[in-house]
Amino acid sequence: MNPFLEISPSVNEALQNGQPIVALESTIISHGMPYPDNVATALRVEQTVRENGAVPATIAILNGKLKAGLSEAEIEHLGKTGRGVAKVSRRDIPFLLSSGKPGATTVASTMLIAEMAGIRIFATGGIGGVHRGASETMDISADLQELARTSVAVVCAGAKSILDLGLTLEYLETHGVSVIGYQTDEFPAFYTRRSGFGVDYRLDSPAEIAKVLTIKWLAGLAGGVVIANPIPAEHEPLAARIQAATEQALSEMQRLGISGKEVSPFLLGKIKELTGGESLRANIELVLNNARLAARVAVASMNSKFT
Ligand code: PSU
Ligand code: MN
């Protein structure tokens, strides 16, 4: 086993007993939401996974270890320290292991650690993608490359319209990543159920999704899958309001010259500020909704046998 991997007792027990497990990321805790909502949400997400029959494994880097499964105290620490915790993608991992400093894992690094631990299903809010203007900036989230190479299915509410969703879907296609729409034909845009872009395949039940995932990996097709799960209609904010906030956040970002890994956290914070917290409430609801679906897919995967 990887000498840097440290699996928590509850996750280890679940692995030994062949119980369903759902991986969860920590950038959403330290960089995606303000304290104390971030900690409360992370704990509610874990509880939601349990209520739906699976064991949660929140992932982060702490004390020079790749941690699969955190204690409440560790989640509280990541949430309270917030932006003081490094945002860690694949390239950053050896440096955090070397320094011993805490790291909040993005979708990319959470996938990587989940795979090492033997966890195949992961729930988050939204994935990173190809940023608008990427033909100039080359800003393409490492999440997309990770989906191309790492065999973990990511349940998300699509990707934010701060991104270029058309190019994001093109990039996934090029890299052989299937995009499944759960009970939808359209790729959702995080706060909104619709984006105008289609998904590759629509599946309407956790069992059908579990079957495809099991077959994909049994057939030797390594790599990730995107499971796009639209925000429940009752929690969808007014699209026009989110749209206006997104445009304003993008223009402020340009004016301030923000680039690199600061881009996503800046835009998330700005949109929350501009919508008076409405975006945060929606964000919390969609993450809970994704945790629910991921747990149900993980449970169904235990019963999928096609050899
Ligand atoms: N999108 C969201 N909320 C988030 C993120 C993305 O709606 O919290 C986080 C995730 O951790 C994702 C990361 O992996 O931002 C992408 O950052 P970047 O664009 O720098 O790759
Ligand atoms: Mn980026």
Side-chain angles (χ1 to χ4, degrees):
M1 193 172 99
N2 187 316
F4 296 97
L5 184 62
E6 194 172 291
I7 300 179
S8 75
S10 68
V11 174
N12 204 30
E13 195 187 316
L15 285 166
Q16 301 299 321
N17 298 336
Q19 288 171 288
I21 307 173
V22 172
L24 301 163
E25 63 150 309
S26 46
T27 289
I28 195 172
I29 305 174
S30 297
H31 297 259
M33 290 182 194
Y35 180 79
D37 302 86
N38 54 3
V39 172
T41 302
L43 297 176
R44 273 181 79 194
V45 168
E46 288 207 337
Q47 189 52 29
T48 301
V49 168
R50 285 188 202 98
E51 283 164 9
N52 287 276
V55 173
T58 302
I59 288 177
I61 298 183
L62 292 172
N63 307 314
K65 297 286 181 197
L66 306 165
K67 304 262 294 182
L70 301 183
S71 66
E72 261 192 59
E74 288 167 331
I75 289 176
E76 169 75 24
H77 174 66
L78 288 172
K80 203 165 191 171
T81 314
R83 301 257 170 111
V85 179
K87 174 179 161 185
V88 176
S89 196
R90 174 181 272 268
R91 66 169 182 194
D92 309 299
I93 291 177
F95 298 89
L96 281 123
L97 292 178
S98 168
S99 71
K101 288 183 184 157
T105 50
T106 61
V107 168
S109 51
T110 302
M111 285 180 75
L112 195 156
I113 297 168
E115 186 183 60
M116 283 178 185
I119 304 169
R120 296 296 192 123
I121 315 286
F122 164 20
T124 184
I127 54 168
V130 179
H131 280 263
R132 295 199 202 170
S135 56
E136 288 291 318
T137 63
M138 295 280 281
D139 191 351
I140 301 172
S141 176
D143 294 354
L144 301 186
Q145 266 304 312
E146 206 62 46
L147 280 159
R149 69 203 285 184
T150 300
S151 299
V152 170
V154 181
V155 180
C156 63
K160 282 208 176 71
S161 59
I162 54 174
L163 301 169
D164 187 320
L165 298 184
L167 291 187
T168 300
L169 292 167
E170 288 293 346
Y171 193 98
L172 290 171
E173 180 194 5
T174 301
H175 291 276
V177 179
S178 330
V179 177
I180 297 172
Y182 176 64
Q183 297 183 346
T184 182
D185 297 302
E186 220 172 287
F187 189 65
F190 196 83
Y191 297 119
T192 52
R193 295 175 58 80
R194 295 173 162 278
S195 67
F197 294 96
V199 294
D200 303 324
Y201 296 92
R202 172 188 175 138
L203 296 177
D204 289 334
S205 70
E208 287 172 81
I209 296 173
K211 180 176 174 183
V212 170
L213 297 179
T214 305
I215 287 175
K216 170 183 163 76
W217 292 320
L218 273 176
L221 295 163
V225 173
V226 174
I227 301 168
N229 184 31
I231 183 172
E234 67 270 29
H235 298 299
E236 191 179 23
L238 267 185
R241 212 156 158 215
I242 292 291
Q243 188 60 25
T246 301
E247 298 304 332
Q248 191 175 335
L250 282 164
S251 70
E252 281 198 36
M253 182 188 84
Q254 277 193 332
R255 190 170 54 79
L256 296 170
I258 289 166
S259 64
K261 69 195 242 183
E262 296 311 320
V263 166
S264 295
F266 174 83
L267 291 172
L268 301 184
K270 203 74 210 168
I271 292 171
K272 183 195 141 254
E273 194 185 303
L274 293 170
T275 59
E278 192 179 349
S279 67
L280 177 61
R281 285 188 292 279
N283 199 342
I284 292 169
E285 292 299 335
L286 66 84
V287 174
L288 292 170
N289 189 48
N290 294 340
R292 209 170 296 129
L293 178 60
R296 293 175 63 203
V297 171
V299 168
S301 297
M302 294 294 143
N303 308 318
S304 284
K305 297 265 176 294
F306 297 96
T307 38

